[in-house]
Amino acid sequence: MWIRMSEETKKIKLKVYRTNYNKEESPHYDEFDVSVKRWTTVLDALLDAKSYSDSSLGIRYSCRMASCGSCGMKINGRPRLACYTKISELNDQTIVCDPLPNFPRIRDLVTDFTEFFAHHKKIEPYIQNERVPIDVVKNDDLVEFKQTPEDVDKYLQFSYCIKCGLCYSACPTVATDTKFPGPQALSQAYRYTADNRDTGEPSRFNIIDERHGIWRCHFAGSCSSVCPKGVDPALGIQLLKGHLIGITKNDKKIATLRSKEE
Amino acid sequence: MGIKPNSENNSSTGGDIRIKSGREGLMGWLNPTRYGWERVSYWLQRLTGVGLLIYFIGHIYETSSLVNGINAWNSMLELTQTTGGHIFLLLVIGASTFHTVNGLRLIFTESGIGIGRPGRPDYPYDATSLNYKQKSGIWVALLLATIAMLYGGMVMFGDVN
């Protein structure tokens, strides 16, 4: 059976934050009238304004399907992905788009992620396993680790992170402490702690257990409420704190290697 | 050509592209209603914590007046017997009750207790950690703070002894 989709269009006002520091342009809002349908996303509306009203509008985007994490911005007061936010769900005639808070601004809605990625890299976001024999690594003999589906479930949701930066921009601690790694990096630290292929806990704990580290998180939960992929960074961070103070048991059994012959 | 993040709030040259810090700072705390109950609780916990610290310093100053004799002590006590003094004490009662009860909730949640377990996320991706079990701790803290303030108000302004 075909479902008849509403073709009804309506006009909304798009208010977009504009600035260009290279031209000494002071920050202001430009307004665009855009025709939208029920399924029009904020990114669609912005691209409409860019195509037909002002081609100089600065936006970053790529996949248009909430996979690349490029189009994060503050939409009507909350950090969201523009491609994942339908205008109809905002229930507002005026849509206000600002650059993501807590990120350095480059131009219009485009922000700089250098610092954000530096925090991510600092927590060593890769499998470290000292039990893998050196000759296996050298000869490229390693086939795979043995993991059960239950082992995977312990970290899978945290590996869905697309590094869109929404959690980082919603965090009140990031807003006031430049050295705080932020919810994204800390939840990735938990992701590798929970992964039974990894033995890098001592090294990672040394990085996050410091003055501007994990203890600056006070469970405001804003990171989890804005995450578009269900990563729930607040959950990972609190569980990691439990591990650090020894309340939550870490019963992980390090995965064994499956050789080529097996 | 390159860009360089700048933590200062003034625009500056980083390589070839000028950028400006977008950090919200304390301004980001002004509206705690954007992100749900946990953010409101975070805001109130901070606010009541700072308020109680200021009260604690004032309380030490108040009790230290005893060393200047009974008259100095009595005149200091009279300050709390005014309407303004009663309202101030009501706020202290509310703040200390909320801070204590919500603090207990935070001791558990920040240790990884009562916030759920990781699993496979399904659309619409409701966060496990923002569950009603731990969220109810915020409501209980607010309710107990209100009850304590009501009782305190009845004692100070009414006939209850």
Side-chain angles (χ1 to χ4, degrees), chain B residues 9 28 49 55 60 62 73 82 84 98 111 116-117 124 129 135 154:
Chain B
N9 276 323
Y55 169 74
I60 291 171
E62 181 202 23
W73 169 247
T82 59
F98 177 82
S111 309
R117 294 286 132 204
S129 66
K135 219 188 280 274
M154 280 157 62

Side-chain angles (χ1 to χ4, degrees), chain A residues 58-79:
Chain A
I59 325 163
R60 180 170 50 218
Y61 70 100
S62 181
C63 73
R64 306 185 189 210
M65 48 186 264
S67 286
C68 71
S70 304
C71 64
M73 60 184 72
K74 191 159 91 171
I75 300 168
N76 284 11
R78 257 176 88 96

Side-chain angles (χ1 to χ4, degrees), chain A residues 39-47 59-75 79-87 89-90 97 109 162 164 166 228-229, chain B residues 123:
Chain A
W39 52 84
T40 305
T41 63
V42 175
L43 181 62
D44 291 334
L46 284 166
L47 292 176
I59 325 163
R60 180 170 50 218
Y61 70 100
S62 181
C63 73
R64 306 185 189 210
M65 48 186 264
S67 286
C68 71
S70 304
C71 64
M73 60 184 72
K74 191 159 91 171
I75 300 168
R80 304 173 208 254
L81 290 180
C83 70
Y84 196 54
T85 308
K86 283 192 296 212
I87 284 172
E89 77 190 46
L90 295 170
C97 299
L109 300 173
I162 56 171
C164 61
L166 300 196
K229 302 302 281 185
Chain B
Y123 187 82

Side-chain angles (χ1 to χ4, degrees), chain B residues 134-146:
Chain B
Q134 61 82 17
K135 219 188 280 274
S136 60
I138 305 169
W139 301 329
V140 169
L142 285 170
L143 184 71
L144 289 178
T146 310

